[in-house]
């Protein structure tokens, strides 16, 4: 960041405080308030962190007004169209696009860590068969912290690297095993001759009773979905991973915390909630009823897959996802998908409605992704597990950046206290 000696002046209680202003390479300036409490004895107040930069980072940049998303400077639409997920993983982790040799080495290292310790297979048996895959992922990823003592000294760059590769490599295997467990089918081992997306599809859909050929169309669509979900600046689950990791906790346990946060319907759980909403709407003629509910302050219903804390114009990932939905359904010969028609008409009607225009609400990454995933054969319960699989590289990249930052310190917010002031204990006979 550039300390261009600009300052912001805060006049408070007859005193004047000069707060340093730092400028980014792109985006809004920040006002450095780190010494505000020591100087002025006041806190800033920002529940939900709508105006707070929690860190500096070089990984992902979002311009909410332009609908721009850059990973290490590369626009998401170019990466989705020209790159592939493991190359994007390399870019997020190391900061530059790899050479052919670097990419081959990285893909080989990831491929050779895709198997899960045999002992961990027993963990799945502890869950009910109807457990949500996300519940299983939180549990199993958290349990990885018990298996890898040789990569938990996070002060050692090599152990950080090993933990990173292990998590990126094993997440699809764990997600696929969670899926297989909940549908009562045997686990399918990863194969080293398949690419990342093809391996995941095979582990999800192959059965011992017959050969399984990966459909290259589905593999490309799966890889693109992984790429579109890879990282997204300081969103709730990434901030969870950063805060958990700031205490020096085991990285596998911190990623499990990120999975837990992503599960919520306001965050990554929205892809599942959105498809369930579209199925509840069912037909185009019921759209006005649901739009009215979304606008009704008395009704807690919201259009799932709509709105975003940062994007106030459009979510560039949703645009790519919408194109992909059309392509995948056409290539799969799904010439008429009523739910896709409902989604497109819902988007059209909502965007034409002043309520959504004024509040700058429009489809986000979760609005169309579920339609593609359902067409690929996934149940809605797997949608957020797939999001978590893809976002692991984002969490890990942000974690590595934070741990390597010499300014890194434990995150410890304060509060606006509205409770009781000091009072004496009252014995029960006197209450
Ligand atoms: C993800 O942060 C990230 O980057 C997340 C993510 C990532 O890649 O990590 O992009 C992934 O989580 C995408 C978002 C998925 N969530 C949903 O689709 C759930 C539905 N959307 C909302 O709940 C909401 O839009 C949020 C949570 C996404 C954003 O909430 P904010 O920024 O806190 O906005 P808000 O709740 O203060 O809403 C502002 C206004 C409110 O009305 P008023 O109080 O001003 O009258 O807009 C309304 C809200 O009621 N509103 C909606 C709405 N979203 C916001 N009204 C109807 N339907 C909606 N979807």
């Amino acid at each position: 960041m550039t300390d261009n000696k600009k300052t912001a002046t805060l006049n408070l209680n007859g005193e004047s405080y000069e707060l340093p202003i730092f400028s980014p390479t792109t985006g809004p300036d920040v006002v450095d308030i780190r010494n505000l409490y020591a100087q002025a004895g006041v806190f800033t107040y920002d529940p939900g962190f709508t105006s707070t930069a929690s860190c500096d980072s070089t990984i992902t940049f979002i311009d909410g007004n332009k609908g721009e998303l850059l990973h290490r400077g590369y626009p998401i639409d170019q990466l989705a169209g020209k790159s592939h997920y493991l190359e994007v993983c390399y870019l997020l982790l190391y900061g530059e696009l790899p050479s052919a040799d670097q990419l081959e080495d990285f893909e080989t290292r990831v491929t050779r860590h895709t198997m899960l310790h045999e002992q961990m297979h027993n963990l799945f048996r502890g869950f009910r068969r109807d457990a949500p895959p996300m519940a299983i992922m939180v549990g199993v990823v958290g349990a990885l912290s018990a298996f890898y003592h040789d990569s938990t000294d996070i002060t050692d760059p090599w152990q950080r690297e090993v933990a990173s590769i292990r998590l990126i490599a094993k997440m699809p295997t764990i997600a696929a095993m969670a899926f297989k467990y909940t549908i009562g089918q045997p686990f399918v081992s990863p194969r080293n001759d398949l690419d990342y997306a093809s391996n995941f599809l095979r582990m999800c859909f192959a059965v011992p009773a017959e050969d399984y050929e990966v459909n290259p169309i589905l593999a490309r669509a799966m890889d693109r979905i992984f790429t579109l979900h890879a990282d997204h600046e300081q969103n709730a689950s990434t901030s969870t991973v950063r805060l958990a990791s700031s205490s020096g906790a085991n990285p596998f346990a911190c990623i499990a915390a990120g999975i837990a946060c992503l599960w919520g319907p306001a965050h990554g759980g929205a892809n599942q909630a959105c498809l369930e909403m579209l199925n509840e709407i069912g037909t185009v003629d019921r759209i006005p009823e649901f739009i009215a509910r979304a606008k009704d302050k008395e009704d807690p219903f919201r259009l799932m897959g709509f709105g975003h804390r940062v994007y106030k114009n459009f979510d560039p990932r949703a645009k790519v996802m919408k194109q992909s939905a059309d392509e995948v359904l056409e290539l799969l010969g799904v010439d008429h998908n009523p739910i896709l028609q409902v989604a497109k008409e819902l988007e059209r009607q909502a965007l034409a409605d002043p309520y959504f225009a004024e509040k700058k609400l429009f489809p986000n990454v979760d609005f169309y992704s579920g339609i593609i995933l359902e067409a690929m054969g996934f149940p809605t319960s797997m949608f957020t597990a797939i999001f978590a699989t893809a976002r692991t590289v984002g969490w890990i990249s942000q974690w590595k950046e934070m741990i390597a930052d010499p300014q890194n310190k434990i995150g410890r917010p304060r509060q606006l206290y509205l409770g009781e002031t000091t009072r004496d204990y009252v014995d029960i006979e006197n209450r």
Side-chain angles (χ1 to χ4, degrees):
M1 59 189 145
T2 312
D3 180 357
N4 46 26
K5 306 302 178 208
K6 286 193 302 187
T7 60
T9 303
L10 174 67
N11 297 309
L12 186 67
N13 303 331
E15 296 290 336
S16 183
Y17 303 93
E18 293 304 312
L19 303 173
I21 290 177
F22 297 128
S23 295
T25 45
T26 182
D29 283 352
V30 299
V31 178
D32 181 356
I33 58 165
R34 283 174 290 184
N35 297 317
L36 179 63
Y37 179 57
Q39 290 174 350
V42 295
F43 297 144
T44 58
Y45 183 65
D46 187 15
F49 310 119
T50 51
S51 302
T52 293
S54 61
C55 61
D56 48 68
S57 179
T58 62
I59 298 172
T60 289
F61 175 74
I62 301 172
D63 184 319
N65 294 321
K66 291 183 191 167
E68 186 178 52
L69 168 57
L70 308 178
H71 289 320
R72 303 288 191 180
Y74 296 99
I76 188 61
D77 55 322
Q78 292 185 29
L79 293 173
K82 299 177 179 178
S83 184
H84 63 276
Y85 180 68
L86 279 189
E87 183 176 75
V88 172
C89 287
Y90 185 100
L91 175 65
L92 291 169
L93 284 167
Y94 307 117
E96 297 295 337
L97 289 170
S99 66
D101 290 346
Q102 288 169 328
L103 180 59
E104 184 183 358
D105 168 64
F106 179 73
E107 290 183 337
T108 301
R109 284 191 291 140
V110 170
T111 301
R112 295 201 178 283
H113 281 84
T114 49
M115 289 178 68
L116 204 58
H117 192 297
E118 192 64 17
Q119 191 72 18
M120 289 199 70
H121 290 210
N122 302 327
L123 272 171
F124 290 80
R125 310 276 176 240
F127 290 94
R128 289 169 42 141
R129 287 285 180 175
D130 63 353
M134 280 299 278
I136 297 175
M137 290 191 75
V138 169
V140 173
V141 173
L144 284 175
S145 59
F147 274 80
Y148 294 112
H149 294 298
D150 63 342
S151 60
T152 51
D153 173 3
I154 58 174
T155 62
D156 173 355
W158 173 244
Q159 292 195 43
R160 292 203 294 269
E161 178 71 10
V162 169
S164 303
I165 297 295
R166 278 177 167 152
L167 275 159
I168 293 166
K170 296 180 194 308
M171 205 58 93
T173 308
I174 293 168
M177 290 172 77
F179 176 45
K180 285 301 201 185
Y181 183 74
T182 58
I183 59 175
Q185 291 185 0
F187 298 144
V188 175
S189 172
R191 285 239 314 254
N192 290 352
D193 61 334
L194 295 176
D195 64 67
Y196 195 88
S198 300
N199 220 349
F200 176 64
L201 290 172
R202 184 178 170 278
M203 289 190 285
C204 287
F205 297 118
V207 290
E210 58 188 38
D211 292 340
Y212 178 82
E213 280 299 312
V214 178
N215 179 330
I217 299 161
L218 296 188
R220 180 70 192 128
M222 189 77 259
D223 189 273
R224 183 176 294 169
I225 287 175
F226 283 151
T227 296
L228 292 171
H229 288 83
D231 188 48
H232 212 240
E233 200 218 64
Q234 304 312 320
N235 59 82
S237 53
T238 297
S239 299
T240 299
V241 171
R242 278 181 173 260
L243 190 58
S245 307
S246 70
S247 71
N250 182 296
F252 300 98
C254 295
I255 296 298
I259 296 172
C261 177
L262 186 76
W263 194 2
H267 191 8
N271 54 18
Q272 173 175 348
C274 178
L275 199 79
E276 288 164 355
M277 173 191 76
L278 293 172
N279 283 317
E280 186 186 357
I281 294 172
T283 54
V284 169
D285 61 326
R286 291 196 65 199
I287 288 174
E289 169 197 339
F290 282 82
I291 286 184
R293 285 187 57 197
K295 294 161 63 177
D296 178 359
K297 281 290 156 233
E298 300 309 308
D299 188 331
F301 172 78
R302 288 189 165 187
L303 288 186
M304 301 317 284
F306 251 74
H308 199 276
R309 172 62 61 77
V310 178
Y311 291 122
K312 299 305 173 193
N313 193 329
F314 62 88
D315 181 336
R317 301 167 298 176
K319 289 182 96 169
V320 178
M321 202 72 82
K322 183 177 179 181
Q323 291 160 4
S324 196
D326 283 328
E327 286 167 20
V328 170
L329 294 177
E330 184 187 344
L331 290 167
L332 288 176
V334 181
D335 53 3
H336 179 66
N337 178 310
I339 294 303
L340 180 59
Q341 302 320 314
V342 169
K344 287 184 173 179
E345 179 58 15
L346 173 59
E347 176 184 9
R348 190 193 67 75
Q349 290 190 28
L351 295 185
D353 187 303
Y355 173 91
F356 294 90
E358 284 155 19
K359 293 181 185 297
K360 301 183 185 302
L361 304 173
F362 41 83
N364 58 46
V365 68
D366 293 312
F367 189 69
Y368 285 103
S369 58
I371 291 168
I372 303 173
L373 294 173
E374 185 182 57
M376 295 170 78
F378 290 106
T380 54
S381 62
M382 272 298 288
F383 290 5
T384 312
I386 289 167
F387 192 153
T389 298
R391 184 53 57 86
T392 296
V393 66
W395 291 329
I396 280 294
S397 301
Q398 302 270 352
W399 167 74
K400 286 180 72 177
E401 180 179 67
M402 184 192 82
I403 298 294
D405 180 352
Q407 287 192 88
N408 171 37
K409 58 183 3 177
I410 190 166
R412 207 290 186 204
R414 301 302 303 273
Q415 63 180 7
L416 169 63
Y417 177 67
L418 300 176
E420 297 286 343
T421 53
T422 305
R423 54 181 173 163
D424 293 330
Y425 181 81
V426 178
D427 294 332
I428 193 163
E429 56 271 16
N430 298 325
R431 290 176 203 159

